[in-house]
Amino acid sequence: MEKKSELYAGKAKSVYNTDEADKLILQFRDDTSAFDGEKIAQLARKGMVNNKFNAFIMQRLEEAGVPTHFEHLLSDTESVVKKLEMLPVECVVRNIAAGSMVRRLGVKEGIDLNPPTFEFFLKDDALHDPMINEYHIQTFGWATETEIEEMKVLTFRVNDVLKQLFLGAGLLLVDYKLEYGRFNGRIILGDEFTPDGCRLWDAHTRDKLDKDRFRQGIGGVVEAYEEVARRLGIALD
């Protein structure tokens, strides 16, 4: 497979075309950002850790019947993925109150949410990723009613699988965001699943082991990611 032109450069990942029309190369960089790019840093090893973390999670989800765009690892920081027509919405599930939910609703951080909550957001940094609902999605043509339902079903299936996976490693899956795309007429999981896009707490101490360490200036960001990977049995070196 030959790497071609850069298709897209995000805040922490780059996407490249290849000589195969239906395949892309996803590169995880060491860049780290928060607050819609207002806070930026370079963290050594982060790209490598996230690439291998994402590969592990995507493979576990595939085994559980969740279709994903992941194909295989290409290098320490690169993976081969299917080329999707991405939908401009983010699906967020929350098992424990944290982050924007706490700010928006005035609830206490750490409250268990039973049942878990599901939220849609428009993927648009300029608008600060506003919350949207199913009517918005259908009215503006971002996805069909059938696709909306499929995203919800898959997102909760991910929750069932990963809550247990992380709990077995002594971790709480607080919340996470997922993105989906179309591939050969199907809705499948795209983008990534790493500590950049979810919240993970130690099940006993509730220490934060995700990007909140960067957002809140706690430090030890990559070390926390590596600790999560170690607990899951992901080989990094």
Side-chain angles (χ1 to χ4, degrees):
M1 175 178 288
E2 184 180 351
K3 188 176 183 179
K4 297 285 190 177
S5 60
E6 185 176 69
L7 178 65
Y8 170 79
K11 293 188 287 290
K13 299 189 299 295
S14 296
V15 181
Y16 294 87
N17 288 305
T18 72
D19 54 354
E20 297 183 34
D22 62 345
K23 300 290 192 303
L24 299 171
I25 292 174
L26 183 64
Q27 180 187 32
F28 289 82
R29 307 192 312 267
D30 288 341
D31 301 284
T32 308
S33 70
F35 314 121
D36 294 327
E38 292 180 10
K39 184 176 182 180
I40 300 173
Q42 285 263 321
L43 300 175
R45 289 176 56 86
K46 177 175 171 284
M48 178 274 293
V49 174
N50 274 355
N51 185 42
K52 295 182 178 181
F53 191 104
N54 180 68
F56 176 87
I57 295 296
M58 291 290 177
Q59 289 168 335
R60 298 291 85 73
L61 292 176
E62 286 276 3
E63 291 166 3
V66 177
T68 81
H69 71 154
F70 179 79
E71 291 282 313
H72 59 83
L73 286 169
L74 185 63
S75 69
D76 279 352
T77 60
E78 297 173 315
S79 292
V80 176
V81 299
K82 299 178 183 71
K83 185 175 184 178
L84 308 186
E85 178 191 352
M86 295 301 294
L87 305 181
V89 298
E90 297 177 344
C91 300
V92 174
V93 164
R94 303 178 190 275
N95 296 304
I96 299 172
S100 64
M101 170 174 276
V102 172
R103 296 190 297 273
R104 282 188 282 115
L105 303 181
V107 298
K108 184 178 179 182
E109 183 180 78
I111 296 174
D112 290 333
L113 303 175
N114 188 20
T117 66
F118 183 104
E119 298 164 338
F120 283 115
F121 293 86
L122 178 63
K123 188 172 173 59
D124 190 321
D125 285 344
L127 297 177
H128 305 291
D129 297 339
M131 184 184 290
I132 54 177
N133 61 38
E134 297 176 27
Y135 292 94
H136 296 126
I137 296 172
Q138 291 185 66
T139 296
F140 295 109
W142 296 324
T144 67
E145 182 178 3
T146 300
E147 289 171 336
I148 290 168
E149 290 306 310
E150 183 66 10
M151 286 190 287
K152 290 165 67 175
V153 168
L154 290 174
T155 300
F156 277 115
R157 189 181 302 168
V158 168
N159 201 42
D160 291 340
V161 173
L162 295 189
K163 275 179 67 178
Q164 293 306 310
L165 177 68
F166 286 120
L167 191 59
L171 299 162
L172 298 175
L173 179 57
V174 176
D175 58 32
Y176 58 91
K177 76 169 183 70
L178 300 178
E179 297 180 27
Y180 294 90
R182 301 183 182 105
F183 185 78
N184 293 337
R186 299 177 65 202
I187 291 294
I188 69 173
L189 181 62
D191 194 43
E192 66 174 284
F193 195 105
T194 71
D196 273 4
C198 70
R199 286 186 173 88
L200 294 165
W201 294 352
D202 181 274
H204 303 291
T205 66
R206 295 211 163 190
D207 287 343
K208 297 174 180 178
L209 299 171
D210 52 68
K211 199 166 78 168
D212 271 350
R213 299 189 70 88
F214 179 69
R215 295 186 188 99
Q216 299 173 11
I218 298 171
V221 179
V222 176
E223 291 81 0
Y225 289 18
E226 290 175 326
E227 170 64 14
V228 173
R230 183 192 65 77
R231 294 193 195 187
L232 291 172
I234 301 172
L236 297 179
D237 296 313

